[in-house]
Amino acid sequence: MHPRLVSGKTRRRAAAGLVALAALLIPAPVASAGQAQSEDESEVILLDGAKGAEGITAGEGSTFYAGDLVTGDIYRGDIHKDTAKKFIDAPDGRVAVGLKADTRNDLLFVAGGPTGQAYVYDTETKKTVKTYQLTDKAAFINDVALTNDGAWFTNSRQAELYFVPVDDDGDLGNVRTLALKGPAAGLPGAFNLNGIAYSPDARRLVVAHSANQALYTVNPRTGASTKIGGITVPNADGLVVKDGVVWVVQNFMNQVSRIRVNFDESTGTVREVITSPDFNVPTTAALFHDSLAVVNAKFGVANATTFEAVVVDAYPHH
C-alpha cells in the first residue's frame, strides 16, 4: 500500500515522507510482448459507508473482510453479493491496512500502519482480543501473512518482520522481531517492504518490495532473503500465493500480475496481467478458488466517496 492518510472521525497523519510518496510512483509499461492480458467482466461490491480501503482477506466460504484505512473499521461481505456492511466498529485512533483472517481460530489480524501496532479481533464476538505494539521505531505496519503457527507483519520503514505466535488452542503469544538479511533488507525508498504471503510448499515467506520493484523470498527462521529473478514488479503492493503461483497487485498500474514461481531456483515468469475497467488503484487481493477479490484504495483520486471490491477471474486464460 502507498497511502496518503486522510481525515476521518479521528485525524491521523502518517509520518513525514509518506505523503510525498505518490510522486515516486511512476507507472511502467503494463506488460511485455507475449504476456497475455485480460480485461474481463467483473463484479463490483460496495463497501457501504467506508471512508477508505486498503486490505481484503478471505473468510469462511465466500465471505471476505475488508478494512477501512481511515477509521480502522472492518467490513464483511460475500463475493456473490453487491454490498459489504460494517462488521467491526474500531476504536478511534486505529487504521486498517493489510489484514488476514485465521478461520481456524476465528481471529482477524490487522496491520496498523503508522501506529506501529497490530490488532487482533475475534470474528465471533467482534471484540478486540489483543493490541500489539510491534515496534516503537519509525513504522508503517503494512501487511500480514498467516502460517500454521502465527501471523507475520511487514514494516515499510524498517528491515524487519514481526511474528505473533498462535498456538493450537488459538491463544496468542508475545511478538518477536526478525531482522532481515540480504537484498530485502534494503531501505532505499519511503516505502520498502509492502505485501507479504506464505508458501507452505516452499516454507518461505514472499515479500513485495515497492522501492526495489521486486519480490523476495524470506526464510522465517533466519531472515535470509533471496530475490525472485526474471521479473520486475513496479508498484508492487499486496500478494497472494498458492502452490507455485504468485499474484501481485500493482496499485497505480491498475493491474494484477499472475507469476509462475520456481521456488527452488528463485525465478519467476509473468504468465498473465489481469486488468479490469473497474480497478481504481487496487492494493490487495483475496483468492476464492478461481476468483480474486481486489480492493480499490483510490489513492490520489480526488474526492473519492465510495470504495469497493472488484471480483475478477484469477486465471482468465488458464
Side-chain angles (χ1 to χ4, degrees):
M1 130 178 208
H2 301 287
R4 174 166 53 197
L5 296 182
V6 295
S7 60
K9 265 184 178 180
T10 315
R11 178 177 290 272
R12 176 160 293 283
R13 295 189 184 277
L18 299 184
V19 243
L21 185 67
L24 304 176
L25 304 170
I26 302 170
V30 171
S32 61
Q35 294 168 359
Q37 298 181 44
S38 62
E39 194 163 305
D40 297 337
E41 290 185 5
S42 49
E43 177 187 356
V44 178
I45 304 169
L46 177 69
L47 306 180
D48 192 13
K51 295 180 172 59
E54 206 284 339
I56 190 168
T57 183
E60 292 278 6
S62 54
T63 298
F64 70 86
Y65 300 94
D68 188 322
L69 178 63
V70 175
T71 65
D73 295 338
I74 305 299
Y75 285 74
R76 185 173 70 174
D78 188 294
I79 61 166
H80 302 305
K81 296 182 179 178
D82 294 335
T83 56
K85 302 294 185 183
K86 186 188 292 188
F87 178 64
I88 294 173
D89 188 359
D92 286 354
R94 294 187 184 180
V95 299
V97 195
L99 67 165
K100 289 294 183 298
D102 176 356
T103 56
R104 183 178 59 180
N105 296 304
D106 299 321
L107 298 174
L108 185 69
F109 294 83
V110 181
T115 66
Q117 296 177 338
Y119 313 109
V120 187
Y121 297 99
D122 185 317
T123 54
E124 291 291 317
T125 66
K126 307 182 187 181
K127 302 295 185 184
T128 303
V129 178
K130 194 162 185 176
T131 297
Y132 286 91
Q133 189 68 44
L134 299 179
T135 180
D136 291 318
K137 294 185 277 190
F140 196 94
I141 309 303
N142 204 326
D143 206 358
V144 54
L146 293 179
T147 68
N148 287 332
D149 53 1
W152 289 91
F153 293 84
T154 57
N155 183 349
S156 296
R157 304 192 67 199
Q158 304 293 335
E160 55 193 30
L161 303 177
Y162 312 101
F163 179 65
V164 173
V166 184
D167 68 19
D168 291 341
D169 297 321
D171 295 326
L172 301 170
N174 296 325
V175 64
R176 303 200 299 263
T177 300
L178 179 69
L180 294 183
K181 305 167 188 173
L187 299 172
F191 263 76
N192 300 288
L193 296 176
N194 198 325
I196 185 170
Y198 180 67
S199 168
D201 298 329
R203 297 183 182 179
R204 291 289 186 273
L205 296 161
V206 182
V207 294
H209 196 297
S210 297
N212 289 350
Q213 303 184 11
L215 301 183
Y216 301 98
T217 59
V218 175
N219 184 316
R221 291 181 295 102
T222 68
S225 64
T226 303
K227 183 177 181 179
I228 297 176
I231 55 170
T232 302
V233 280
N235 303 134
D237 205 322
L239 303 177
V240 175
V241 175
K242 183 182 179 184
D243 302 325
V245 177
V246 179
W247 288 264
V248 184
V249 184
Q250 295 169 271
N251 46 40
F252 284 93
M253 295 172 72
N254 285 312
Q255 67 184 40
V256 180
S257 289
R258 179 168 63 83
I259 299 171
R260 171 63 67 178
V261 174
N262 183 323
F263 284 104
D264 291 333
E265 298 179 3
S266 201
T267 58
T269 304
V270 177
R271 291 295 175 85
E272 189 160 31
V273 174
I274 301 168
T275 61
S276 166
D278 296 310
F279 284 169
N280 197 337
V281 195
T283 44
T284 58
L287 182 65
F288 295 86
H289 302 293
D290 292 337
S291 296
L292 281 177
V294 184
V295 72
N296 282 332
K298 299 186 178 179
F299 298 144
V301 176
N303 304 315
T305 57
T306 59
F307 297 87
E308 58 279 326
V310 180
V311 181
V312 295
D313 192 339
Y315 305 90
H317 297 106
H318 191 55

